[in-house]
Amino acid sequence: MNHLAATSTPAAGGGFDFFSTIMWPFKWLVEAILVFWHWLFTSVGLEADAGLTWVLSIIGLVIVVRSALIPLFVRQIKSQRKMMEIAPELRKVQEKYRGKKDQLSREAMSRETMALYKKHGTTPVSSCLPLLVQMPILLGMFYTLSDVKKHAEAGTGGVGPLNADLTKQFYDAQLFGVAPLHTDMISAINAGQTATVVILVILVVLMIASQFFTQLQIISKNLSPEAKTGQAYQMQKIMLYVLPFAFVFSGVFFPLGVVLYWFTSNIWTMVQQFLVIRNLPTPGSDAAKAREERLARKGKALDSHGKIVPLEKYQAEQQRLYEEAQKVKAEAPKRQQPMGKQRSKKQAQQNKPDGNNADGSKPDAGSTKPGGTS
């Protein structure tokens, strides 16, 4: 239990290690998932200290974590859709207060913006939830694998199910029999482990490619024409080329086990994004048009509720909606044409019940007699 206390009680310097205390449950969870998958694979005959066993255990960790995030991912997609829907209203609010720098105007703009978010049940933060939730797990994975070398050399285990024996097995595990999972690129270069360096470089390149392709899918296929005109779209285009290279940092300083976790997670994201764009595209986007064409070739279409229905049913619904719209239009009060003052006054005088002429004079009495004479 000494190693358990060391991770959640005062640090070596005598102070309380708040970060280690916060990370303890996440590290424990990561260890529990890893140990479960390791037990499962060794039960079917894989060697306990084999690199393949631990790599498959890391992949199992990705499956568990990302599967748990699916509800949040769905919520993220819905939030993004709502943000796109209210984009025109947000632009109206911004135009309303454009050029106004006083405090009252800024407060009023903020209130109206927040009111729109509340009305539509969304916020910009909602799209970041999956990443925010995954970060503690990623950090837990990073610190768990980073501590393998230290714990193995000290003859101790992790904070939970990853005991001393399992830690030693993980320490001895090598990918393809040549690349230790606990080694990072700097350590591999210093130790002259060329195979490990090559594997890490290949993984980093694949990570950059997968991240680039994932973002490219969104920008090229899943944005409506309106979304491609805003400043946010320009920022997305910049991030398309900048963000993937953040993985260069991870490939240099992260252990091979963490890089494998991140690469596998990227592949999951890429496939998941592909399926979402194909089956639940943003309305008005190129992906939505492509989906409609695929459905049309199968004799199907999307009804007004977004459900897939036979083409005949879709056409019947469109006809019904058209007839209802025409009926509403016909029953609506007709708009009166504007009338000038002179014409309005003349028409009012002509419609008076006393029979006066338009100029207010009495009509000629003789003109009303038979024969037209006085």
Side-chain angles (χ1 to χ4, degrees):
M1 296 295 292
N2 292 335
H3 63 273
L4 178 58
T7 58
S8 57
T9 51
F16 184 73
D17 192 345
F18 179 76
F19 183 75
S20 293
T21 303
I22 294 296
M23 289 305 303
W24 185 89
F26 298 106
K27 292 169 70 174
W28 195 98
L29 179 62
V30 167
E31 291 184 12
I33 298 172
L34 274 176
V35 170
F36 167 77
W37 285 104
H38 182 266
W39 168 82
L40 185 64
F41 291 124
T42 53
S43 297
V44 297
L46 295 182
E47 296 180 7
D49 60 350
L52 178 62
T53 305
W54 286 103
V55 168
L56 291 175
S57 299
I58 292 172
I59 295 175
L61 174 64
V62 173
I63 293 173
V64 172
V65 172
R66 298 307 301 270
S67 297
L69 289 176
I70 288 177
L72 283 178
F73 181 78
V74 173
R75 182 177 177 181
Q76 174 191 13
I77 294 298
K78 292 181 179 179
S79 177
Q80 289 176 341
R81 295 272 179 85
K82 290 179 181 179
M83 288 296 297
M84 291 179 181
E85 289 174 3
I86 67 174
E89 297 180 64
L90 287 174
R91 282 196 289 269
K92 288 181 181 178
V93 173
Q94 293 168 355
E95 289 294 332
K96 180 179 178 181
Y97 294 98
R98 184 181 296 277
K100 298 180 180 180
K101 304 296 184 180
D102 59 284
Q103 183 68 21
L104 290 177
S105 296
R106 288 199 298 267
E107 291 178 355
M109 179 178 174
S110 179
R111 284 196 303 270
E112 292 185 26
T113 301
M114 295 306 296
L116 277 176
Y117 291 151
K118 184 177 181 180
K119 176 183 176 182
H120 293 273
T122 185
T123 62
V125 180
S126 300
S127 59
C128 301
L129 277 177
L131 179 61
L132 294 176
V133 172
Q134 190 181 359
M135 280 305 295
I137 300 295
L138 182 61
L139 287 173
M141 183 72 178
F142 170 73
Y143 285 108
T144 297
L145 298 185
S146 297
D147 290 341
V148 164
K149 181 178 180 180
K150 177 177 65 176
H151 290 163
E153 292 175 349
T156 61
V159 301
L162 193 65
N163 57 35
D165 292 336
L166 290 171
T167 299
K168 184 63 168 62
Q169 292 171 7
F170 201 129
Y171 180 83
D172 293 335
Q174 296 182 342
L175 180 62
F176 305 128
V178 294
L181 296 180
H182 66 271
T183 303
D184 57 52
M185 186 175 292
I186 299 297
S187 300
I189 292 174
N190 293 334
Q193 298 173 339
T194 305
T196 303
V197 174
V198 171
I199 290 173
L200 281 168
V201 169
I202 293 174
L203 283 175
V204 170
V205 171
L206 292 176
M207 287 168 67
I208 292 173
S210 61
Q211 179 68 26
F212 179 84
F213 183 72
T214 300
Q215 292 297 114
L216 184 63
Q217 286 184 101
I218 299 174
I219 293 179
S220 63
K221 296 181 180 180
N222 204 37
L223 290 180
S224 63
E226 295 79 10
K228 291 182 179 181
T229 59
Q231 186 177 1
Y233 175 67
Q234 300 302 323
M235 289 298 298
Q236 281 184 309
K237 289 179 67 176
I238 295 174
M239 294 303 293
L240 173 66
Y241 296 96
V242 174
L243 186 60
F245 287 96
F247 292 113
V248 174
F249 175 85
S250 67
V252 172
F253 296 101
F254 287 5
L256 177 56
V258 176
V259 175
L260 283 168
Y261 171 88
W262 208 328
F263 172 64
T264 308
S265 184
N266 269 13
I267 297 299
W268 177 290
T269 301
M270 184 175 66
V271 175
Q272 182 175 253
Q273 191 71 60
F274 173 80
L275 294 175
V276 168
I277 291 176
R278 180 177 175 83
N279 298 301
L280 295 172
T282 300
S285 65
D286 292 339
K289 296 175 182 177
R291 188 191 184 203
E292 292 173 0
E293 292 174 359
R294 290 196 304 270
L295 290 174
R297 288 195 294 267
K298 297 178 181 179
K300 298 180 180 180
L302 294 173
D303 65 7
S304 57
H305 301 289
K307 296 181 180 180
I308 299 177
V309 297
L311 192 59
E312 296 78 9
K313 187 175 181 180
Y314 167 78
Q315 292 173 341
E317 181 192 51
Q318 291 300 306
Q319 181 63 29
R320 176 178 58 81
L321 292 174
Y322 173 77
E323 292 175 355
E324 290 178 355
Q326 291 298 315
K327 183 179 179 181
V328 170
K329 183 179 179 180
E331 293 176 351
K334 294 184 178 180
R335 181 175 178 269
Q336 297 293 331
Q337 292 292 332
M339 186 181 297
K341 290 184 179 180
Q342 294 296 330
R343 183 181 176 188
S344 177
K345 182 177 180 182
K346 183 177 180 179
Q347 184 172 342
Q349 289 174 343
Q350 289 176 342
N351 294 334
K352 281 185 178 181
D354 57 5
N356 290 342
N357 292 328
D359 58 358
S361 61
K362 295 291 184 180
D364 187 0
S367 63
T368 62
K369 291 182 180 180
T373 59
S374 52

